[in-house]
Amino acid sequence: MKKKIDKQAVRTWVRNAKKVCKQLILPFSVFQAIRTIIFPTTFDVLLLAIFILIYLGFQYEWF
């Protein structure tokens, strides 16, 4: 038998995960910006760009 998944519980979990990401993305972005200024590698620049896009996505409610 298949176990039924409670859709409301999944929505609550996703909503909570989005809230946590929204709170943590700015400090990660600031840290990554400082790291990119000190050690500018290709990976650091790409990671900073991804963090900025995620931050903008939360600000403009793309997610």
Side-chain angles (χ1 to χ4, degrees):
M1 287 179 55
K2 286 186 177 181
K3 187 176 180 181
K4 297 236 179 185
I5 297 174
D6 185 15
K7 291 183 181 181
Q8 184 62 32
V10 172
R11 288 184 191 130
T12 304
W13 182 83
V14 170
R15 192 177 315 120
N16 288 339
K18 284 174 66 173
K19 286 180 184 177
V20 169
C21 288
K22 192 173 184 179
Q23 289 177 347
L24 292 177
I25 195 66
L26 187 62
F28 285 161
S29 297
V30 170
F31 173 77
Q32 189 62 34
I34 293 169
R35 180 180 158 89
T36 302
I37 291 170
I38 295 172
F39 304 113
T41 64
T42 304
F43 177 74
D44 289 328
V45 173
L46 289 175
L47 192 59
L48 180 60
I50 290 170
F51 284 162
I52 290 172
L53 287 174
I54 292 172
Y55 178 75
L56 290 174
F58 280 122
Q59 288 299 316
Y60 291 115
E61 297 177 0
W62 295 337
F63 301 119

